[in-house]
Amino acid sequence: MVADRIETRDVDPPLRDDQSEAARASLSGVPHEPGAPKPDPIVVADNIVRKFGGLTAVDVEHLEIQRNVITALIGPNGAGKTTFFNLLTGFDKPDEGRWSFEGHNLNGMSAYRVARLGMVRTFQLTKVLSRLSVMENMRLGATGQSGENLWQAMFAPFWRSQEKANSSRAVALLERFSLEPKKDDFAGSLSGGQRKLLEMARALMVEPALVMLDEPMAGVNPALKQSLLGHVKSLREDGMTVLFVEHDMDMVRDISDWVIVMAQGRIIAEGPPEAVMSDPKVIDAYLGAHHDAELDLDESQSGDRNG
Amino acid sequence: MEWGGILEGALQQGLGPAAIVYCLAAIGLNVHFGYTGLLNFGQAGFMAVAGYALASIVATWGLSFWLGLVVGLALSVVLALLLGVPTLRLRADYLAIVTIAAAEIIRQTVGSVSLLEYFGGQDGLQQFVDTFAGLNPFTTPMGLGPVSWRPYDFFLLCVGWTVVALCCLIVYLLMRSPWGRVLKGIREDEDAVRSLGKNVYAYKMQSLIIGGLFGALAGFMTALQHAAINPSFFATDTTFFAYTVLLLGGAARVLGPVVGAITFWFLINVLDLFFDQATVGPNPLISASIMTHQQASLMRLIFLGLALMLLMIFRPQGIFGDRRELAIDGR
């Protein structure tokens, strides 16, 4: 399988590397406590509450997400991680609270406008557009297309050159994600892991500043996992901020610069991976006494993954 | 049994004005259902609004035929907005329920006694095609090969198929564009499209309006075809015939509705004429103890149902569809 090849990519814009180095370094002074203020936050959320009937699914007092680093959002099933994701991206409305992205207030903003600001998400259950080709999936991601305006759509000269530019950008991204040979296939014919890759590549077509990945490793075979990890890291090197929800502890340990732990709708701990995983509150809430042991396959794949 | 006559009669119908009506209605449904995934079960409502607008502007208010066309198109846009504003933010099934109900409300309203003086109740309206008939350059029956039509029908047929060709061109131009790509994306998964920064609600509304405008053209065609209008032309089965046409030709294919409409109406008429001939006369092919002449007229609907089932089982993609597409699981 083509996309399963683990590919190494030259990342050589040193300036950006420096930036993300610096961003990571600046986290060292941040206290390891829930709601800790960050030196350069890209997302700031206050008092976000979402109730489903009598159940309070999310109750986040204060949260800041540092720019240009990889932040993991973990927690046991039902902790409210995916709900929190939906709230931040406008796919669900909180009962109260306010939050902002790069200084833009996002209260009550619809999902598509949030995405246009540069805060793009993927989904826990991959949403590729099955009966569109891989290439069409990619082109759909480009923003500001004049051909998406009804009045200009009928006349190709209005959008042909833009379409060409988008197509070459799409091909470049597909090559990076090793999906280029599949570009004319229906997206529905891809394997689960390839769909994850396509979804990530398509999100990059939007040219986001913050990429939010909801369980990028769920249902991905181990060979592809390594290359996916590399891709997530490369987003950081390219100057993007990454926030992801994940159950795979190896991945969290391996690539995240900062970890936020949710349980029962609240943030119970924050800090670098090692610190968080030895925090007794986290062990109690989530990891159990044997959290140091590698999760075996049955355990990591069983159960409801809904966060 | 006179097979030549049956085939000629069926061909005359298959290329005739009735086929054009179903073709235009199905082109609209193709935009709604085939490309955007909107379940509009009230296409007959769009047809009724436009047809009645044309007929009543001319016959009731004595105004210009051309104004009637403009008002008909404008009202179908209004109807699309009325249907879309409350439902397009909700799940797809809500639109289905609302459209099927709205189509019935419209049909009952125009047929009601209290509006008799405007819309003519169950008898409907006549005397509104003079302007259109006045443009007819044909004076003798015209034909193609073995079949021929009355001058008015032939004129209507020329105009109708020209309109169909233009509609197909518009659909082709729209659906190959980035705009069409957004619609197809919405059909597959609207949340994914939303996450890429597209205003899904606005696109669905545009699709509903455009498909409704094609429905309006079908409504005009209905009124012109009969040179009269009454509520029974816009019953629910009109919508379902149009869906049959769409699925027969192949959804999300530009020419699907055209081929579907001709095939559908041709086959319906073959059946109709066959059973008509087989049960008539002193010594019928099918004896009266099996089936009377009156019962025979219902046979076409039985066969239509059977044909639809067979179509769904053996060729669910329609005539033009791509089987590979259907083999792909939805999500």
Side-chain angles (χ1 to χ4, degrees), chain B residues 255-273:
Chain B
L255 292 179
V258 179
V259 174
I262 295 174
T263 316
F264 170 77
W265 204 239
F266 174 80
L267 291 178
I268 280 274
N269 279 284
V270 167
L271 288 170
D272 219 14
L273 293 168

Side-chain angles (χ1 to χ4, degrees), chain A residues 138-253:
Chain A
M138 293 294 287
R139 288 196 195 108
L140 187 64
T143 47
Q145 299 189 47
S146 53
E148 288 183 356
N149 175 304
L150 175 57
W151 306 111
Q152 294 177 31
M154 274 200 272
F155 309 103
F158 282 121
W159 45 263
R160 198 169 275 141
S161 62
Q162 203 182 17
E163 185 86 345
K164 263 194 195 132
N166 287 338
S167 299
S168 51
R169 202 154 64 84
V171 169
L173 276 170
L174 288 177
E175 275 168 359
R176 171 171 165 187
F177 285 84
S178 313
L179 284 171
E180 205 269 341
K182 296 262 174 198
K183 72 183 165 77
D184 297 319
D185 293 5
F186 283 122
S189 70
L190 299 181
S191 74
Q194 288 171 328
R195 288 178 191 215
K196 290 273 179 196
L197 285 174
L198 174 59
E199 212 186 11
M200 207 186 288
R202 190 178 64 192
L204 296 188
M205 284 297 286
V206 188
E207 299 184 311
L210 170 62
V211 184
M212 300 175 64
L213 307 169
D214 197 349
E215 297 202 21
M217 292 296 162
V220 176
N221 73 51
L224 199 48
K225 258 181 196 174
Q226 279 309 316
S227 99
L228 246 166
L229 281 177
H231 289 307
V232 175
K233 278 187 196 162
S234 75
L235 300 182
R236 178 182 62 193
E237 316 311 330
D238 288 353
M240 279 171 258
T241 309
V242 180
L243 175 66
F244 70 98
V245 169
E246 190 50 67
H247 280 292
D248 185 328
M249 281 304 137
D250 289 336
M251 176 183 179
V252 172
R253 234 190 296 250

